[in-house]
Amino acid sequence: QQQQQPQPPSPSKQELDPVLNNPLKFYFSFLSRRTALILFLGTVLSGASYPFLETTLTIHAQHLELNTAFTGLLFSICNGFFLVTMAVIGHGDGVGLPLAAYGLMGSAMSFFFMGPTPVIPVLPLNTSMLTIAMVLCGVATALAWLPMMNMLLIHLQRSSGNGTAANAAIAGVASVATSMGIVLGSLLGGFLADAFGFSWATTIWALAFILFFVITQTENKKNYMFDQGHKQHHKEVTFPNLGE
């Protein structure tokens, strides 16, 4: 007796994919979603801090007469605290706007300390302050980037479905946000440092974090789409390692 081969599901029973027929429609509609754009820009900004420092910190290290080995150690410290923080908060269930708010303000403080900013003359210019700033930068970047990326994916999937093409389009948006952060961090960091010097460049970058903190808080008070929507819909997400 021949075994019957399993039949593929009929077209009528296959999962409907909202962007399967027209993927470009998804990307154009993305530009009209205020919530998605805010989360996208937050992901870009928080992901641009490390590339910003890769471009500009060497100038500051030369001013402090730091050798190359110590400068490399500072980057290792920053990246190490970033990875540890990501691992800690990645297993939690509260990866939402409150955590991102701490990350945004912590990032601002780290860049104020790193300059140090001329706005706060009492901040010392030494290796101890720079090391503390790099530790804070690593922790705060993780606190800001992971919740922003998490909420971005949740929002896009909730509004676009979870079909194959939809998931691919959402993953594309996430990849673009990460890559854009790398590009803009390096480009703007070098431009600001050349134009205004390292201290004012880091001050401007810190003010950008404070501005975005105000934007997210204002938007959240309007419609509660960050924290309330996250709590109601986060269990529908099929992406791994999103704080489930």
Side-chain angles (χ1 to χ4, degrees), residues 146-162:
L146 183 59
M148 288 291 181
M149 178 65 79
N150 181 30
M151 291 185 290
L152 175 62
L153 296 179
I154 289 171
H155 175 78
L156 291 179
Q157 190 178 54
R158 191 170 69 237
S159 59
S160 304
N162 57 359

Side-chain angles (χ1 to χ4, degrees), residues 116-202:
T117 176
V119 179
I120 309 177
V122 297
L123 292 177
L125 175 62
N126 53 44
T127 56
S128 298
M129 178 59 70
L130 183 58
T131 303
I132 294 173
M134 293 295 283
V135 170
L136 181 58
C137 181
V139 174
T141 298
L143 292 178
W145 184 87
L146 183 59
M148 288 291 181
M149 178 65 79
N150 181 30
M151 291 185 290
L152 175 62
L153 296 179
I154 289 171
H155 175 78
L156 291 179
Q157 190 178 54
R158 191 170 69 237
S159 59
S160 304
N162 57 359
T164 302
N167 284 341
I170 293 169
V173 172
S175 299
V176 169
T178 303
S179 300
M180 189 173 293
I182 297 173
V183 172
L184 291 181
S186 301
L187 179 64
L188 294 179
F191 172 79
L192 292 174
D194 286 341
F196 305 104
F198 181 80
S199 296
W200 278 110
T202 53

